[in-house]
Amino acid sequence: MAYPDDQLGEGEHVLLHRHPHWKLLVGPLFVLVVVLAGAGFLAVLTESLAWRTPARAALAVIGGVLLLWLVLSPLLRWRTTHFVVTSHRLMIREGVFTRSGVHIPLGRINSVRSRRGLLDRLLGSGTLIVESASDEPLEFDDIPEVDRVQSLLYGAVEEEPDDRYPDGR
């Protein structure tokens, strides 16, 4: 089973499962283009050098490290970050090698707010602010369709458990 299905309890089902907004991938895509174009340009420049093989090997190593660090790492971080609303709780999980997560039962959520700047409004994302029984509000940045998520979460919090499922699940 894949996440979040392997975390669900009896009678619990996923209402929403999102990764952060795709705008987080624009920077790594730009870096990918720049690194590949720069490596190609430098490879052409080294064509006439007597020591072109070591120079190209150094370019390949430097380009590979840059791609791993500035492209693959953010992509993996994006892919392994999950924002999930189930019928019983809100779950956030992130991390590649060391995973961390927050699970908040819907009954413990006091309020749900969102904040959207100009770029967020243009791209359809925003920051979700969840106040629960904990000390400080939790902020989740770059949530796609944040208004829809806020409405869904607010509706799930306000529903009585008996109203949620007519068959008593």
Side-chain angles (χ1 to χ4, degrees), residues 19-153:
H19 294 283
H21 195 268
W22 58 265
K23 73 180 179 182
L24 294 179
L25 300 176
V26 171
L29 180 62
F30 178 73
V31 169
L32 174 67
V33 170
V34 168
V35 167
L36 292 178
F41 178 73
L42 292 173
V44 169
L45 285 180
T46 60
E47 184 65 34
S48 62
L49 296 176
W51 41 275
R52 71 173 168 247
T53 303
R56 286 188 176 168
L59 282 174
V61 169
I62 292 169
V65 168
L66 285 174
L67 289 178
L68 284 173
W69 181 36
L70 299 174
V71 176
L72 189 60
S73 176
L75 178 64
L76 284 175
R77 250 183 274 120
W78 176 85
R79 184 72 179 121
T80 58
T81 300
H82 301 269
F83 183 86
V84 180
V85 178
T86 72
S87 54
H88 294 18
R89 58 191 160 156
L90 167 66
M91 301 187 300
I92 296 86
R93 184 172 173 183
E94 55 191 7
V96 179
F97 299 113
T98 303
R99 293 201 173 147
S100 63
V102 176
H103 293 232
I104 305 171
L106 293 180
R108 306 273 301 209
I109 295 175
N110 296 331
S111 69
V112 181
R113 296 181 290 144
S114 67
R115 183 176 57 238
R116 299 173 67 191
L118 178 62
L119 183 62
D120 289 332
R121 289 196 323 253
L122 291 172
L123 296 176
S125 67
T127 299
L128 190 70
I129 303 162
V130 177
E131 292 183 23
S132 65
S134 66
D135 294 336
E136 295 183 19
L138 300 171
E139 292 191 14
F140 306 105
D141 297 323
D142 301 312
I143 302 294
E145 302 175 336
V146 71
D147 290 336
R148 181 175 170 265
V149 174
Q150 181 182 5
S151 296
L152 175 74
L153 196 53

